[in-house]
């Protein structure tokens, strides 16, 4: 393996920052879209279709449960991503 120059280190740093920003934007977009869909489903159920009219309520409850699971997994991924970035930085500095 070749010895990295200062320019190589700068390039790697730029790549890491770009990757982090892309992942951050993706996660924010996913959270925004799921939150919006959750709000729309509540409004749709409450204002347009009355709850007593909805026959297969199991599907709606399942969708809300899966939304909560998705949100929890997404937030957990934020946490572990943060930990992984710190560990990678420590290991990189250590050599």
């Amino acid at each position: 393996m070749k010895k990295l120059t200062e320019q190589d280190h700068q390039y790697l740093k730029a790549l890491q920052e770009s990757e982090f920003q892309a992942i951050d934007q993706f996660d924010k977009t996913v959270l925004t879209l799921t939150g919006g869909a959750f709000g729309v489903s509540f409004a749709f159920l409450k204002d347009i279709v009355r709850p007593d009219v909805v026959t297969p309520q199991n599907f709606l409850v399942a969708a809300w449960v899966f939304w909560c699971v998705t949100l929890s997994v997404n937030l957990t991924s934020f946490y572990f991503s943060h930990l992984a970035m710190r560990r990678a930085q420590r290991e990189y500095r250590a050599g």
Side-chain angles (χ1 to χ4, degrees):
M1 194 163 105
K2 75 173 191 167
K3 183 172 169 90
L4 297 178
T5 65
E6 181 61 32
Q7 188 177 12
D8 292 333
H9 286 292
Q10 289 176 355
Y11 178 69
L12 287 172
K13 185 178 179 182
L15 284 177
Q16 290 170 345
E17 288 174 3
S18 295
E19 180 184 14
F20 177 74
Q21 289 174 358
I23 290 170
D24 189 46
Q25 287 301 320
F26 176 76
D27 288 340
K28 287 178 184 177
T29 301
V30 168
L31 285 173
T32 301
L33 290 173
T34 58
F38 193 57
V40 167
S41 72
F42 269 129
F44 182 77
L45 182 64
K46 185 180 130 220
D47 297 335
I48 298 173
V49 178
R50 302 287 180 231
D52 52 320
V53 177
V54 178
T55 309
Q57 291 179 355
N58 299 347
F59 291 124
L60 186 59
V61 170
W64 288 340
V65 167
F66 286 126
W67 176 81
C68 290
V69 168
T70 301
L71 185 61
S72 299
V73 168
N74 199 327
L75 292 174
T76 302
S77 79
F78 279 138
Y79 176 71
F80 284 112
S81 174
H82 176 72
L83 292 179
M85 293 281 246
R86 283 193 169 185
R87 180 178 178 180
Q89 290 172 11
R90 270 195 317 270
E91 290 176 359
Y92 183 76
R93 286 186 190 118

